[in-house]
């Protein structure tokens, strides 16, 4: 379910017209629906039923302070991957005691900062890192809470760039050596408190099978770690996929009900129904680290068509957003539905490439896709751009970063100003 739909022929976010926002704030423009973010957050909590659990929102998906504050005020914890993300969480009013710190390359400065702030757990990705964490904690005279990330060697069946749970990925510690590592650490690393176990097998998983496979594979290990080392939590990671196609229709219940069973994508209810019974009796706190599921469908990127260029082979619609604003299609063949802000009067489609102004052939939002036609001057929305959208935006080609708006009901708030030209050179000497 999400907060974007046509009302009287024009696309709205909740009760705010997107064309009005584009006129007022310019394009490219990110717009987020607070209602959708909270709806997804609450539905995930509901799907986990009565098991002791906590949602640690993966900040890297969308780290705008207002998005973080919204989730913090509703009790979310946070999964961070850098000192910068911890800084943002604290600025947004989040509680470091509900933060887990993931990532394969934590620096000394980041470790010290996180120890000083009192985070809940360092999710450690190698024995070397665990030893280093122990040393730094020793220097500061504190105990570092830690969990090791297990690599269960499970195929998440997602794009190779966002698969993380196979032996050949750089993430985590091999399944087979975890028990030995915990034994050694508990004997030798006096400044480490082994608090849990963590895993995360990949992103944008659209079937339940890899989640089940990973949980069933790791459960005996988790039981053993609890018995031997008294761990208190198991983080089962994030990775819940979202629908990128037909997202306008899929906002409605009727659309869901009309899907054939095997075409029905992974729903959060299914996720809960399959996983909760498997996790219920472990006596552990279950941590979830969703990013995309919480914010993905909750955001759009508005862009204006500048030119239509008819080549001999193709028709290009050139828009004012580029891969620097939204890199997912260029980076990992990410798909975004593209719809005009004025509802198409008929079902006529033209086959086009929608491309940005950046000097790269990879700068496209779709290729040879049948779309409702639009013309120079018209506004379109790239749907489901709330996750890994603005968060991955850059100044490439010296383009100022777009503005961001958060909509709550009928109220639209500017939550990040568009960068100015002066912002572009700020800090250069
Ligand atoms: C990226 C990441 C997540 C979030 O992944 P989503 O697919 O956005 O849910 C969770 N945990 C870790 C360790 C990650 O690196």
């Amino acid at each position: 379910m999400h907060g974007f739909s046509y009302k009287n022929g024009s696309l709205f976010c909740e009760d705010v017209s997107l064309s009005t926002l584009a006129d007022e704030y310019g394009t490219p423009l990110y717009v987020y629906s607070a209602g959708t973010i909270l709806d997804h957050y609450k539905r995930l909590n509901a799907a986990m039923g009565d098991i002791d659990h906590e949602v640690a929102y993966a900040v890297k998906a969308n780290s705008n302070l207002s998005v973080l504050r919204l989730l913090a005020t509703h009790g979310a914890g946070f999964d961070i991957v850098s000192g910068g993300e911890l800084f943002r969480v604290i600025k947004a009013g989040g509680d470091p005691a509900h933060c887990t710190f993931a990532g394969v390359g934590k620096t000394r400065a980041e470790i010290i900062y996180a120890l000083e702030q009192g985070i809940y757990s360092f999710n450690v990705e190698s024995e070397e890192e665990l030893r280093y964490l122990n040393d730094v904690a020793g220097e500061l005279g504190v105990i570092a809470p830690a969990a090791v990330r297990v690599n269960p060697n499970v195929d998440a069946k997602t794009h190779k760039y966002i698969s993380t749970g196979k032996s050949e990925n750089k993430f985590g510690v091999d399944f087979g050596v975890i028990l030995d590592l915990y034994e050694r650490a508990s004997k030798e690393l006096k400044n480490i408190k082994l608090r849990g176990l963590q895993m995360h097998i990949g992103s944008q998983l659209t079937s339940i099978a890899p989640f089940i496979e990973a949980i069933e594979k790791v459960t005996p290990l988790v039981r053993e770690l609890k018995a031997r080392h008294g761990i208190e939590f198991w983080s089962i990671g994030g990775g819940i996929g979202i629908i990128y196609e037909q997202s306008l229709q899929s906002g409605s219940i009727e659309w869901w009900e009309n899907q054939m069973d095997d075409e029905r994508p992974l729903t959060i209810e299914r996720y809960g129904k399959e996983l909760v019974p498997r996790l219920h009796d472990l006596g552990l706190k279950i941590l979830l680290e969703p990013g995309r599921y919480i914010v993905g469908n909750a955001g759009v990127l508005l862009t204006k068509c500048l030119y239509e260029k008819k080549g001999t082979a193709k028709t290009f619609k050139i828009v004012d957003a580029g891969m620097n604003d939204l890199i997912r299609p260029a980076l990992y063949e990410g798909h975004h539905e593209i719809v005009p802000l004025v509802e198409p009067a008929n079902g006529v489609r033209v086959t086009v490439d929608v491309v940005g102004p950046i000097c790269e052939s990879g700068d496209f939002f779709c290729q040879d896709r049948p779309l409702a036609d639009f013309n120079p001057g018209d506004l379109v929305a790239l749907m489901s751009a709330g996750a890994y959208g603005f968060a991955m935006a850059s100044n490439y080609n010296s383009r100022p970063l777009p503005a961001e708006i958060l909509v709550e009901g009928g109220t639209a708030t500017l939550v990040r100003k568009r960068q100015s030209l002066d912002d572009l050179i700020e800090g250069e000497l």
Side-chain angles (χ1 to χ4, degrees), residues 153-214:
N153 193 21
V154 164
D155 188 351
K157 300 196 169 57
T158 184
H159 192 275
K160 62 180 191 297
Y161 285 6
I162 49 176
S163 173
T164 57
K166 290 279 283 171
S167 298
E168 58 264 35
N169 298 131
K170 71 178 176 185
F171 299 100
V173 173
D174 277 344
F175 178 78
V177 304
I178 292 277
L179 215 48
D180 281 351
L181 175 56
Y182 275 63
E183 287 299 335
R184 271 199 307 285
S186 68
K187 289 201 190 82
E188 298 168 22
L189 306 182
K190 296 300 173 206
N191 288 86
I192 296 288
K193 174 182 161 62
L194 293 167
R195 187 166 242 179
L197 185 77
Q198 195 263 353
M199 68 182 193
H200 172 72
I201 57 174
S203 198
Q204 183 55 12
L205 273 70
T206 50
S207 104
I208 190 71
F211 287 115
I212 294 178
E213 190 185 343

Side-chain angles (χ1 to χ4, degrees), residues 5 18 27 32 34 51 120 177 200 230 249 305 316-317 381 407 419:
S5 59
L18 290 172
T27 51
Y32 310 124
I51 54 175
Y120 178 65
V177 304
H200 172 72
Q249 293 92 313
C305 181
F316 297 98
K317 302 278 186 183
V407 171
Q419 277 188 327

Side-chain angles (χ1 to χ4, degrees), residues 112-149:
I112 291 174
Y113 179 46
L115 282 171
E116 285 171 350
Q117 297 300 324
I119 65 163
Y120 178 65
S121 178
F122 288 85
N123 291 342
V124 166
E125 305 242 9
S126 65
E127 176 160 358
E128 293 79 356
E129 183 193 336
L130 192 62
R131 290 186 180 278
Y132 188 64
L133 177 62
N134 180 67
D135 292 347
V136 178
E139 286 174 39
L140 269 63
V142 296
I143 303 291
V148 175
R149 176 170 179 171

Side-chain angles (χ1 to χ4, degrees), residues 265-329:
L266 177 57
T267 62
I268 205 62
E269 291 72 23
R270 177 101 193 276
Y271 181 83
K273 203 170 116 227
E274 295 284 354
L275 301 194
V276 167
R278 292 175 162 88
L279 300 167
H280 203 273
D281 300 323
L282 293 172
L284 290 166
K285 177 177 188 158
I286 301 300
L287 259 55
L288 303 137
E289 305 167 357
R292 191 188 312 269
Y293 170 72
I294 301 286
V295 291
N297 289 143
V300 296
L301 175 59
L302 305 184
T303 182
K304 183 177 265 178
C305 181
L306 299 174
Y307 302 101
E308 179 179 81
K309 178 172 168 174
K310 280 196 176 11
T312 46
K314 287 183 174 227
T315 298
F316 297 98
K317 302 278 186 183
I318 301 168
V319 297
D320 68 358
M323 64 185 280
N324 72 298
D325 303 301
L326 177 63
I327 203 176
R328 293 187 63 262

